[in-house]
């Protein structure tokens, strides 16, 4: 695969990186590494070339974004350097020094520990993360949050400062110059205290007698001991930090290698299963004669992609794995703000994966009986039994999630899940605006999702701003059914559903978007109208009547 598609990916990378061959190689490596990682999900992808091209674009954007962040950090460092050379810094420190420790006392233990390690001891973020048993990025975020809280506490005492300026002052003024001889004096006293504790009163008296009779010799000996102990402690700490960092890097490398090997084996297994399934399908088609067109009603299917999954049990596991990856991506922001521990987050993702597997089992059972989209059982008893089965599955799933999240967390999960279609629209718009002069900010994305949720498709059969897209009236039920069938034909689920951008939502979006961003959202709405017009009509349903406002 690499040899077949290398030229396509590398050429696209060179163009996106403005002819920079080195960065284009980095992009190419990222793309093919992602291909190996997603082998199971991509084994049935209808257009791998298109996926590789899109992945090249995403990888190039990520690298450009990283370089942009690096430039911002360099600019921030330059500003800090200018701040350090400013004569106003000493005056700022004189205002901060009397109340600093009082404000530090009001921080909670975790935040205070992060500030002490980073600014009072001057440790790098890698060492801070090791001390707090978190990753380097998590340590950086915790220090930033603690710094913001410290700034709020100082503001209550009449001292206002930006987080950057406060960090500069803390990093360069918290350490007080050590008085000459203080280290030796303290170390000597500590050693003497240890000797008293170990040897008792008699040893202490003997030590005092020796000190009184040979002060010069003992003073020299103590000084030498202090220097030796101090050097040994420093070297031991330095060696300990270095060994810990090397161990961490070694474990991370080992883990990545193991994951890569597992993914490669999984890709080979899936390729073998896919080849066997295709061969079996070809043999069956060759062996079974094509029947004459039946006059009776044919069975409605879920779409080509889902039919293949439902009719081949060996494809269930790869499909569930693909759904698990989608779930992890869609709920990443929810987990980041949920306050759940790492173990709880893993349990949540496992339960979500089990829920996806349960949904697939229900769909397979219905498919085996000839039911699908637009073809529900006509018998009321059968329909009631089907609904009861689905309800029991949902209740069991809700109970398991409640055990992980709690009742409050379950409500937050439901609220977040209810806005995923709107967040998908915001993510789509953010992707289109990323390389422009006015990218969509995280705050704007949240505000846009709220606007879309407040102005959703209304269950009305008459034209209104809540049932029109770009001035075209669309029946809400027909819209959802047609788009749902199109999604199922592509093997997608509600996690991929993008909420319709109604004219009411578009008008309200002007309050959170710039003119250029608003124009891009109009294009998204126009694309939705086109998708609706091209989507197939569900079996058994008539074409909707569309028209202007």
């Amino acid at each position: 695969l690499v040899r077949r598609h290398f030229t396509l990916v590398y050429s696209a990378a060179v163009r996106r990186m403005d002819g920079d061959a080195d960065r284009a190689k980095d992009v190419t490596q990222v793309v093919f590494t992602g291909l190996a990682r997603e082998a199971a999900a991509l084994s049935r992808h209808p257009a791998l070339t298109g996926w590789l091209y899109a992945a090249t674009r995403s990888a190039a954007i990520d690298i450009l974004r990283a370089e942009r962040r690096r430039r911002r950090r360099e600019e921030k460092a330059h500003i800090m350097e200018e701040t350090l050379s400013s004569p106003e810094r000493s005056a700022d420190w004189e205002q901060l020094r009397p109340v600093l420790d009082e404000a530090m006392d009001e921080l909670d233990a975790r935040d205070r520990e992060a500030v002490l390690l980073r600014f009072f001891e001057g440790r790098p973020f890698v060492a801070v993360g090791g001390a707090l048993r978190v990753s380097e990025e998590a340590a950086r975020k915790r220090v930033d949050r603690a710094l913001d809280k410290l700034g709020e506490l100082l503001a209550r005492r009449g001292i206002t400062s930006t987080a950057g300026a406060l960090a500069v002052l803390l990093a360069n003024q918290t350490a007080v110059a050590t008085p000459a001889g203080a280290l030796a004096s303290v170390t000597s006293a500590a050693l003497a205290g240890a000797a008293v504790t170990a040897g008792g009163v008699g040893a202490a008296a003997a030590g005092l007698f020796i000190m009184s009779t040979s002060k010069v010799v003992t003073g020299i000996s103590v000084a030498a001991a202090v220097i030796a102990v101090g050097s040994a402690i420093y070297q031991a700490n330095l060696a300990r930090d270095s060994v810990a960092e090397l161990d961490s890097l070694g474990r991370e490398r080992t883990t990545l290698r193991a994951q890569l090997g597992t993914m490669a084996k999984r890709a080979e297994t899936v390729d073998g299963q896919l080849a066997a399934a295709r061969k079996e399908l070809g043999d069956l088609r060759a062996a079974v004669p094509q029947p004459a067109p039946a006059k009776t009603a044919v069975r409605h299917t879920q779409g080509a992609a889902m039919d293949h999954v439902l009719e081949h049990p060996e494809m269930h596991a790869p499909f569930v794995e693909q759904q698990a990856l989608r779930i992890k991506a869609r709920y990443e922001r929810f987990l980041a703000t949920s306050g759940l521990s790492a173990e709880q987050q893993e349990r949540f993702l496992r339960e979500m994966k089990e829920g996806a597997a349960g949904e697939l089992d229900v769909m397979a059972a219905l498919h085996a009986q000839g039911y699908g989209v637009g073809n529900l059982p006509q018998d009321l008893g059968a329909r009631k039994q089907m609904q009861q089965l689905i309800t029991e599955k949902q209740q069991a799933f809700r109970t398991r999630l409640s055990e992980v999240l709690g009742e409050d967390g379950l409500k937050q999960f439901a609220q977040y899940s209810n806005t995923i279609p709107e967040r998908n629209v915001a993510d789509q718009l953010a992707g289109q605006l990323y390389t422009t002069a006015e990218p969509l900010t995280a705050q704007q994305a949240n505000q846009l999702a709220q606007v879309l949720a407040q102005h959703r498709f209304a269950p009305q059969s008459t034209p209104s701003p809540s049932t029109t897209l770009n001035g075209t009236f669309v029946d809400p039920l027909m819209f959802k059914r047609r788009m749902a069938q199109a999604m199922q034909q592509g093997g997608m689920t509600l996690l991929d559903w993008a909420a319709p951008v109604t004219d009411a939502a578009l008008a309200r979006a002007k309050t959170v978007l710039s003119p250029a961003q608003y124009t891009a959202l109009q294009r998204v709405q126009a694309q939705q109208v086109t998708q609706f017009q091209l989507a197939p009509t569900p079996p058994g349903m008539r074409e909707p009547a569309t028209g202007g406002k």
Side-chain angles (χ1 to χ4, degrees):
L1 286 178
V2 175
R3 187 164 50 250
R4 185 186 309 165
H5 300 287
F6 180 82
T7 301
L8 165 72
V9 174
Y10 181 73
S11 300
V14 169
R15 292 193 300 273
R16 292 188 177 276
M17 305 310 288
D18 296 329
D20 191 328
D22 292 333
R23 293 193 300 173
K25 290 179 181 178
D26 293 339
V27 172
T28 304
Q29 183 175 359
V30 170
V31 171
F32 284 109
T33 301
L35 176 62
R37 185 172 57 252
E38 302 290 342
L42 295 174
S43 60
R44 291 178 47 260
H45 198 283
L48 182 59
T49 300
W51 183 91
L52 288 171
Y53 184 81
T56 303
R57 172 182 177 275
S58 300
I61 289 174
D62 290 341
I63 290 179
L64 292 174
R65 181 187 300 168
E67 292 181 353
R68 188 181 305 171
R69 287 198 298 264
R70 177 181 56 80
R71 287 196 295 270
R72 285 201 296 265
R73 287 196 296 269
E74 292 175 352
E75 292 173 357
K76 183 177 179 180
H78 180 66
I79 294 174
M80 287 185 177
E81 183 178 354
E82 292 181 349
T83 303
L84 288 174
S85 61
S86 172
E88 298 177 357
R89 180 168 60 90
S90 297
D92 293 338
W93 173 247
E94 291 303 320
Q95 295 179 0
L96 175 62
R97 181 175 54 81
V99 297
L100 174 59
D101 291 304
E102 182 181 348
M104 286 286 295
D105 292 341
E106 295 187 20
L107 289 174
D108 60 45
R110 294 174 57 187
D111 293 336
R112 183 166 56 249
E113 183 75 9
V115 173
L116 290 174
L117 291 172
R118 175 59 179 163
F119 298 108
F120 286 66
E121 293 190 355
R123 296 194 190 184
F125 284 111
V126 174
V128 174
L132 299 179
R133 297 184 179 181
V134 297
S135 65
E136 178 181 357
E137 184 63 24
R140 188 186 304 276
K141 292 180 180 179
R142 182 174 295 182
V143 169
D144 290 341
R145 289 195 299 268
L147 201 60
D148 291 337
K149 294 178 181 179
L150 183 60
E152 294 176 359
L153 294 173
L154 292 173
R156 298 175 187 174
R157 293 166 172 79
I159 297 178
T160 57
S161 175
T162 63
L166 182 57
V168 172
L169 287 174
L170 289 177
N172 292 275
Q173 294 290 350
T174 51
V176 179
T178 305
L183 178 60
S185 175
V186 172
T187 307
S188 177
L191 293 175
V196 170
T197 302
V201 177
L208 292 174
F209 175 76
I210 294 173
M211 181 64 75
S212 65
T213 57
S214 54
K215 293 182 179 179
V216 175
V217 176
T218 305
I220 295 174
S221 300
V222 169
V226 168
I227 294 174
V229 171
S231 176
I233 292 174
Y234 173 77
Q235 294 295 336
N237 289 337
L238 183 61
R240 181 189 60 195
D241 293 342
S242 300
V243 170
E245 185 172 357
L246 288 174
D247 288 344
S248 177
L249 292 175
R251 288 193 299 270
E252 183 177 357
R253 182 179 62 181
T254 302
T255 302
L256 290 176
R257 285 180 175 177
Q259 291 177 350
L260 184 59
T262 302
M263 291 176 182
K265 292 180 180 179
R266 185 183 300 173
E268 293 177 0
T269 302
V270 173
D271 287 343
Q273 293 175 346
L274 180 60
R278 287 177 174 173
K279 183 178 183 302
E280 180 183 357
L281 180 61
D283 294 342
L284 290 174
R285 287 177 175 174
V288 179
Q290 295 294 328
K295 297 182 180 180
T296 58
V298 297
R299 173 173 105 172
H300 298 308
T301 65
Q302 303 283 347
M306 285 305 302
D307 277 346
H308 185 76
V309 173
L310 296 175
E311 294 172 357
H312 294 82
E314 68 275 9
M315 297 305 300
H316 289 189
F319 180 82
V320 172
E321 290 295 334
Q322 182 187 51
Q323 291 300 99
L325 293 174
R326 288 178 175 174
I327 290 170
K328 185 175 182 180
R330 296 304 184 194
Y331 285 94
E332 182 177 5
R333 281 174 292 193
F334 168 74
L335 293 176
T337 59
S338 63
L340 297 175
S341 65
E343 181 181 358
Q344 288 175 315
Q345 292 184 19
E346 290 181 2
R347 283 190 59 194
F348 169 80
L349 293 176
R350 285 199 302 270
E351 295 298 343
M352 293 294 290
K353 182 178 178 181
E354 289 294 328
E359 290 181 1
L360 183 61
D361 291 341
V362 173
M363 292 176 62
L366 293 176
H367 184 80
Q369 300 179 31
Y371 300 125
V373 176
N375 182 33
L376 298 177
Q378 299 298 319
D379 181 68
L380 295 180
R383 182 174 296 190
K384 185 176 180 179
Q385 290 180 355
M386 183 190 71
Q387 186 61 41
Q388 182 179 359
L389 174 63
I390 296 175
T391 301
E392 291 175 354
K393 289 278 188 180
Q394 291 175 343
Q395 288 177 347
F397 174 67
R398 177 184 175 87
T399 300
R400 295 196 303 270
L401 274 189
S402 179
E403 294 176 355
V404 178
L405 302 176
E407 288 301 325
D408 292 339
L410 190 62
K411 292 179 182 178
Q412 295 176 2
F413 165 79
Q415 293 173 354
Y416 184 90
S417 300
N418 194 38
T419 60
I420 283 182
E422 286 75 24
R423 295 178 186 275
N424 289 342
V425 175
D427 290 342
Q428 180 183 358
L429 182 63
Q432 294 183 6
L433 294 172
Y434 180 79
T435 57
T436 66
E438 298 183 23
L440 195 69
T441 66
Q443 181 179 5
Q444 285 180 312
N446 288 331
Q447 292 174 344
L448 178 59
Q450 293 174 4
V451 167
L452 293 172
Q454 293 170 357
H455 299 279
R456 288 175 172 169
F457 247 22
Q460 301 173 357
S461 59
T462 56
S464 71
S466 297
T467 57
T468 55
L469 275 71
N470 197 22
T472 300
F473 168 69
V474 179
D475 179 79
L477 179 60
M478 175 60 72
F479 184 93
K480 290 183 179 180
R481 290 189 177 181
R482 291 184 70 169
M483 295 310 296
Q485 187 182 32
M487 288 167 56
Q488 288 173 337
Q489 286 183 340
M492 297 183 290
T493 67
L494 289 178
L495 291 176
D496 308 287
W497 168 261
V501 182
T502 65
D503 289 342
L506 192 67
R508 182 63 179 172
K510 289 183 178 180
T511 61
V512 298
L513 302 178
S514 69
Q517 294 170 336
Y518 179 78
T519 301
L521 183 60
Q522 287 179 311
R523 290 196 296 269
V524 171
Q525 185 195 57
Q527 292 171 0
Q528 289 184 342
V529 174
T530 302
Q531 291 172 354
F532 168 72
Q533 293 172 345
L534 296 178
T537 303
M541 299 190 70
R542 293 178 300 176
E543 286 287 341
T546 60
K549 293 182 180 178

